[in-house]
Amino acid sequence: MSPAPGSDAVPGPEPAVPTREPAPTRNRNRTFSSLGVRNYRLFATGSVISNTGTWMSRITQDWLVLGLTGSAAAVGVTTALQFLPMMLLGLYGGVIADRYPKRRLLMITQASMGVLGLALAALTLSGTVQVWHVYLIALLHGMVTVVDNPARQTFVAEMVGTRDVRNAVSLNAANFQTARLVGPAVAGVMISAVGSGWAFLANGLSFAAPLAGLLMMRDSELHRVPRVPRSKGQLREGLAHVAGRPELLWPIVLVGFVGTFGYNFPIWLSAFADGVFHAGAGTFGLLNSVMAAGALLGALLSARRTTSRLRMLVGAALLFGLLETAAALSPSLWLFALLLVPIGMLGMTFNTTANASVQLAADPAMRGRVMSLYMMVFMGGTPIGGPLVGWVTDTYGARAGFLAGGLVAALAAAVVGLVLVRVGGLRVEVGLRKGAGRSLVRFVPKGTGESGEPGGGTGSPPAAEPSTEPRDGTPAARDGADEGLAGRLKG
């Protein structure tokens, strides 16, 4: 299958500048606007099927390892091996995503994941599966993900264009969480009724759906993004691009801390279900589904928003960490399950806001490398956080492990928020009353009064915010990096 038109052409000396489209209006149809694009519809349909299989496999894998070893740390090792390649090779995946047609890359990665799923199913159904088999397949899956993740993330812009990137990212998350809502519940039933092998088999077969969707896409309807030619120093170039822009650097730092220490739910939920509440696989699947319901709600709410404020990013991470600490101390199963709903909602709000903000702040020619760094710190930190949190959970109990993860996430959000406020030249303003169009907590330039006007005036409206349009790689856009940061923080 041929790639998108122009995707094989070598670009000229200047990077492609995407057409700047008008900001969409906020309305009820905005939530699902990306589904009006045929190629994205095919992509989303295939994704929801394969994601359901992936969640079935993920839950089954964790439960299988727990059954084979009796150790939460072993579950952490499995998760760590799956994400270790991202930590070590993640940036190279971004270089590949920038160099080659993303649609073709995705066809290769999806087929590879299907083969790995079928291999694990064969081992389990034959009764020969051992824990090292699971470890090996998790590691190979992680190696495929190194290329799949940046290609998948950046392919969104090629399907829907820059204007709908925020919406498509949120719908991708809603798609993933819908599968997360269904997959664990189905996995729990299948494990109890027919065994783990059949869940692995369903996962392997599910990858036929995204492959069919990719084959049916129309090349002429993809947005042209020229490939980046092979050259020396492309990794350093990508890192320098992120390091020079606070609106890229600090959100990625925050994503690294929250992803490493705050998203170890396979360890915590299995440990709580088995060790704290003394329940079985059905309860483990139920807890995952409850949290997925909250995450789905968070993704749909995110799809309605037309902006991605860093204030929202920091606030969501802070509340996410605080609610995790509360859940760690909950005395009953039902209170624990209830708290998982807002935890899932805030975790998804944080995730989609960070993803869209970073994609739109990056230059198009750098987007693959920037998103590979994003995914590297988000998922690649798991080889560090997974075994560490698993050891804390095994040594001090599930409550201590969950509590530690929540506290680290909340502390990281507070520190990064303070750094962003300082770098953006802002200060926090707390209002006693929330008027029309005003927030109780706002960020305003230093030296301004309550209205945002220099000198403390109270009768005039605040100054207009700087533009938060996607970066286009032009010198003017690069010169406005700090102004863009302030605009993304102010409300």
Side-chain angles (χ1 to χ4, degrees), residues 123-460:
L123 287 168
T124 307
L125 289 171
S126 66
T128 60
V129 67
Q130 299 179 36
V131 70
W132 73 267
H133 292 144
V134 184
Y135 286 167
L136 177 60
I137 290 177
L139 180 64
L140 293 174
H141 187 279
M143 294 178 68
V144 176
T145 303
V146 166
V147 176
D148 183 81
N149 265 327
R152 176 182 295 275
Q153 298 291 329
T154 55
F155 190 51
V156 168
E158 294 190 21
M159 288 185 287
V160 303
T162 359
R163 189 186 69 177
D164 280 328
V165 164
R166 289 184 181 92
N167 179 259
V169 167
S170 296
L171 289 184
N172 280 352
N175 182 318
F176 190 70
Q177 296 306 321
T178 299
R180 186 179 182 181
L181 190 63
V182 176
V186 175
V189 172
M190 290 189 71
I191 293 170
S192 300
V194 294
S196 299
W198 295 101
F200 292 135
L201 178 62
N203 172 53
L205 295 175
S206 72
F207 285 95
L211 285 170
L214 289 165
L215 286 168
M216 293 170 64
M217 287 184 182
R218 294 172 182 162
D219 289 346
S220 60
E221 295 178 9
L222 292 173
H223 293 250
R224 182 178 181 274
V225 178
R227 285 168 45 190
V228 176
R230 181 187 296 271
S231 64
K232 294 182 178 180
Q234 288 181 323
L235 284 180
R236 292 192 301 273
E237 187 181 14
L239 292 173
H241 180 70
V242 171
R245 293 183 175 175
E247 68 271 34
L248 287 174
L249 175 63
W250 291 106
I252 290 177
V253 169
L254 180 56
V255 162
F257 276 98
V258 176
T260 299
F261 298 102
Y263 273 71
N264 291 285
F265 295 108
I267 299 171
W268 293 325
L269 297 188
S270 61
F272 265 81
D274 184 50
V276 176
F277 301 122
H278 307 292
T283 299
F284 178 47
L286 175 64
L287 292 177
N288 278 276
S289 296
V290 166
M291 192 171 70
L296 176 60
L297 177 61
L300 292 175
L301 291 174
S302 295
R304 293 181 63 86
R305 293 199 304 270
T306 57
T307 59
S308 299
R309 296 288 185 196
L310 294 181
R311 183 182 65 180
M312 172 69 74
L313 177 71
V314 173
L318 179 61
L319 290 175
F320 173 77
L322 293 177
L323 280 174
E324 283 195 339
T325 63
L329 303 174
S330 63
S332 69
L333 171 62
W334 298 113
L335 179 59
F336 181 79
L338 183 64
L339 286 171
L340 290 179
V341 176
I343 287 173
M345 184 174 70
L346 288 165
M348 186 50 56
T349 299
F350 169 77
N351 193 3
T352 57
T353 302
N355 190 307
S357 296
V358 170
Q359 283 213 54
L360 293 173
D363 286 344
M366 297 281 188
R367 198 167 283 150
R369 280 162 283 179
V370 170
M371 290 310 296
S372 69
L373 178 62
Y374 172 93
M375 297 306 298
M376 184 180 74
V377 300
F378 181 55
M379 301 172 63
T382 305
I384 300 172
L388 180 59
V389 168
W391 174 80
V392 172
T393 300
D394 277 345
T395 305
Y396 300 102
R399 295 188 187 279
F402 206 0
L403 181 67
L407 290 176
V408 170
L411 180 61
V415 171
V416 169
L418 291 173
V419 170
L420 286 171
V421 167
R422 182 175 180 180
V423 172
L426 303 174
R427 64 180 177 83
V428 180
E429 180 183 272
V430 181
L432 297 178
R433 293 182 301 173
K434 184 175 181 179
R438 295 173 63 87
S439 302
L440 287 173
V441 179
R442 298 191 305 151
F443 294 100
V444 298
K446 291 180 180 178
T448 61
E450 182 182 350
S451 69
E453 186 180 76
T458 59
S460 302

Side-chain angles (χ1 to χ4, degrees), residues 18 25-27 42 100 103 109 147 187 206 229 249 281 306 337 354 406 421:
T25 57
R26 191 186 297 265
N27 54 57
L42 289 169
Y100 299 100
R103 181 180 170 204
T109 58
V147 176
S206 72
L249 175 63
T306 57
V421 167

Side-chain angles (χ1 to χ4, degrees), residues 463-485:
E465 291 188 7
S467 169
T468 56
E469 289 290 323
R471 294 205 174 274
D472 56 12
T474 62
R478 288 193 293 271
D479 291 342
D482 290 337
E483 183 183 25
L485 174 62

